[in-house]
Amino acid sequence: MFTRNACTNIKGSYLNALRIISLFLELKENPGLDIFPHTYIFGAKAAPGYHMAKEIIKLICHISKEIEKNPRIKEKLNVVFLEDYCVTLAESLMPAAEISQQISLAGKEASGTGNMKFMINGGITLGTYDGANIEIAEAVGNENIFIFGLKSEEVEGLWKAGYNSSYYYIRNEKLKNTIDFLNTGFDGNFKEIVKYLLVQGVADPYLCLADFNSYDEACLKAENAYKDFYKWNKMSLINIANAGRFAADRSISEYAKYIWDLKPLN
Ligand SMILES: *Cc1c(COP(=O)(O)O)cnc(C)c1O
């Protein structure tokens, strides 16, 4: 199974990396663990000054190297980071992906156009209820998409109530083991990420820890669906068949109608 990860935002890349590390730790403990073999392909870019985004790219490359050293883990878990993500590379990646992870903090850093490109190529969206994911969900129905996590009004509610990432860290053993490993493992190179998630300023500003469990469950649900060949391909076809609404023609006709106030000549 191939997953391509939209990595242009913090929440998506952090949740992804945390879950991959948790799988890595589980497989390290028990190499015979019955998990579905999975390759995670990252295509990503970070703005030159975006420090935390660069840290996560470093982390993903580190995980990939660590897996290389463990042939038994590599049979079930693979991480590939493709350099120089660009349109040409995306043209090969998008048709190959089976899951399109489109994760953002609802209301804050909405996923945009990549999800549409995957959809038309049969990739099934696993993402938060945000941005164009909402339109995809409306087009295909909830049974043909994997939506998880806090919705924008819940995000607001959590901020108002006072968000405390440690609450989730303490209560979820899988998450705690993963973050603890990040503090000491990988040659101690990623303590800064731990601080970012638990301590520094407003800790975990993208609410990654709050959504970790829900994300984990959605991934398992997707994996189970994938095991059913007919079910999966039906879902995929329904996505392709409904992708037409994102055509440029529709977009231009809506601009003409609602914004430019233009009428067609014919
Ligand atoms: C589509 C595309 C993007 C934008 O992706 P989003 O998922 O909308 O953030 C960025 N880079 C490349 C190369 C693309 O093809």
Side-chain angles (χ1 to χ4, degrees):
M1 176 186 238
F2 290 97
T3 298
R4 180 273 186 178
N5 305 285
C7 208
T8 43
N9 66 43
I10 290 280
K11 180 156 183 146
S13 35
Y14 273 61
L15 270 180
N16 249 301
L18 288 174
R19 182 160 190 276
I20 292 170
I21 296 170
S22 81
L23 289 173
F24 173 77
L25 294 176
E26 280 179 338
L27 283 169
K28 220 168 144 185
E29 186 82 22
N30 174 14
L33 192 72
D34 180 25
I35 67 163
F36 202 75
H38 207 135
T39 297
Y40 294 86
I41 303 170
F42 286 84
K45 43 198 176 186
Y50 204 164
H51 181 65
M52 287 321 285
K54 290 189 160 186
E55 283 300 299
I56 198 79
I57 291 176
K58 262 198 248 163
L59 174 61
I60 291 161
C61 294
H62 225 92
I63 301 169
S64 179
K65 278 202 209 112
E66 204 66 30
I67 293 172
E68 286 294 324
K69 288 191 225 151
N70 291 273
R72 285 206 65 191
I73 295 182
K74 203 171 148 54
E75 284 168 24
K76 291 180 182 159
L77 179 65
N78 243 314
V79 176
V80 181
F81 184 87
L82 296 168
E83 289 172 26
D84 297 327
Y85 183 52
C86 62
V87 172
T88 306
L89 191 61
E91 279 172 359
S92 316
L93 265 182
M94 300 210 162
E98 284 160 319
I99 293 191
S100 152
Q101 296 208 18
Q102 302 291 337
I103 304 166
S104 51
L105 178 60
K108 192 157 178 195
E109 40 162 18
S111 44
T113 56
N115 47 4
M116 302 170 192
K117 301 177 209 166
F118 286 105
M119 183 193 191
I120 201 165
N121 282 291
I124 299 173
T125 305
L126 189 162
T128 43
Y129 198 68
D130 195 22
N133 290 350
I134 299 176
E135 287 176 78
I136 295 177
E138 280 167 7
V140 300
N142 286 336
E143 64 285 10
N144 295 306
I145 188 166
F146 302 100
I147 293 287
F148 73 92
L150 297 163
K151 302 208 163 57
S152 60
E153 61 278 10
E154 292 166 328
V155 169
E156 271 174 44
L158 200 52
W159 283 129
K160 276 194 194 129
Y163 177 59
N164 178 4
S165 59
S166 304
Y167 177 91
Y168 301 90
Y169 164 79
I170 293 162
R171 282 167 180 77
N172 184 328
E173 202 188 332
K174 205 165 169 177
L175 182 60
K176 185 173 184 302
N177 290 343
T178 305
I179 292 181
D180 289 349
F181 180 76
L182 213 45
N183 212 11
T184 52
F186 298 139
D187 307 323
N189 278 323
F190 298 100
K191 291 183 193 312
E192 207 181 339
I193 291 183
V194 177
K195 276 196 202 132
Y196 180 80
L197 292 174
L198 287 177
V199 193
Q200 182 182 295
V202 178
D204 188 19
Y206 291 93
L207 309 181
C208 298
L209 272 46
D211 273 342
F212 181 82
N213 193 43
S214 162
Y215 173 58
D216 194 32
E217 283 172 6
C219 291
L220 289 174
K221 202 174 152 197
E223 261 173 45
N224 281 328
Y226 187 77
K227 288 178 190 160
D228 184 338
F229 180 83
Y230 288 99
K231 179 179 174 181
W232 186 269
N233 283 287
K234 186 176 165 197
M235 289 175 76
S236 174
L237 259 180
I238 289 171
N239 272 269
I240 296 171
N242 286 290
R245 71 168 57 200
F246 295 121
D249 284 355
R250 185 205 66 157
S251 170
I252 296 297
S253 69
E254 282 182 6
Y255 268 92
K257 194 167 165 199
Y258 298 113
I259 293 167
W260 300 329
D261 196 19
L262 293 175
K263 296 206 166 40
L265 283 173
N266 58 357

